Amino acid sequence: MVTPLKTLMGFSVHLNVQLKFYNLPYDIASKYGFTIAHMEIGKDDHIHLLVSAPPKLSVTNIMRWLKGISAWHLFRECPELQTSYWKKQGRHLWSPSYYVESIGSVNEQAVAKYIDDQRKKEVKLE
């Protein structure tokens, strides 16, 4: 299964957080048996990922691992996030929503190009 997904998060203004985040999805994927072929961190608080996973892994679990583990690490390693969120208890780095679509291998290159082109489009809009 190859899955592009888009999800919202609130750390585009924190360069330190982006730098800490960048390798986390790859580490999580390696640990749980899926791969990330492409990743783009958007300027407007979202990321695009092209994920390849065996059928035995559910999309729900992949999202739970990516969001849960990355949030846990980032809240621990980036104290500046604690001042960016209004709740002291029950903070959420990630929006509960995400977008997933299954694609075939023929479309994988088109989706990868779309993900890679997202940053270029955002820069042109500035």
Side-chain angles (χ1 to χ4, degrees), residues 43-55:
K43 294 179 80 174
D44 56 347
D45 296 344
H46 68 275
I47 65 169
H48 292 261
L49 298 174
L50 179 60
V51 176
S52 179

Side-chain angles (χ1 to χ4, degrees), residues 7-8 11 14-15 22 32 43-44 49 59 66 69 73 78 86 94-95 119 124:
T7 190
L8 302 175
F11 62 73
H14 299 288
L15 182 58
Y22 190 79
Y32 288 97
K43 294 179 80 174
D44 56 347
L49 298 174
V59 171
L66 287 169
I69 295 169
H73 281 283
C78 304
W86 55 96
W94 295 94
S95 162
R119 176 66 73 175
K124 285 180 184 178

Side-chain angles (χ1 to χ4, degrees), residues 2-3 26 34-39 49-52 108 112 115-116:
V2 181
T3 309
Y26 296 103
F34 60 96
T35 59
I36 296 175
H38 285 78
M39 179 171 73
L49 298 174
L50 179 60
V51 176
S52 179
E108 185 174 350
I115 290 171
D116 289 340

Side-chain angles (χ1 to χ4, degrees), residues 47-74:
I47 65 169
H48 292 261
L49 298 174
L50 179 60
V51 176
S52 179
K56 69 179 183 176
L57 296 180
S58 72
V59 171
T60 302
N61 279 339
I62 291 170
M63 292 306 302
R64 184 173 51 88
W65 295 324
L66 287 169
K67 289 182 172 188
I69 295 169
S70 64
W72 185 82
H73 281 283
L74 291 173

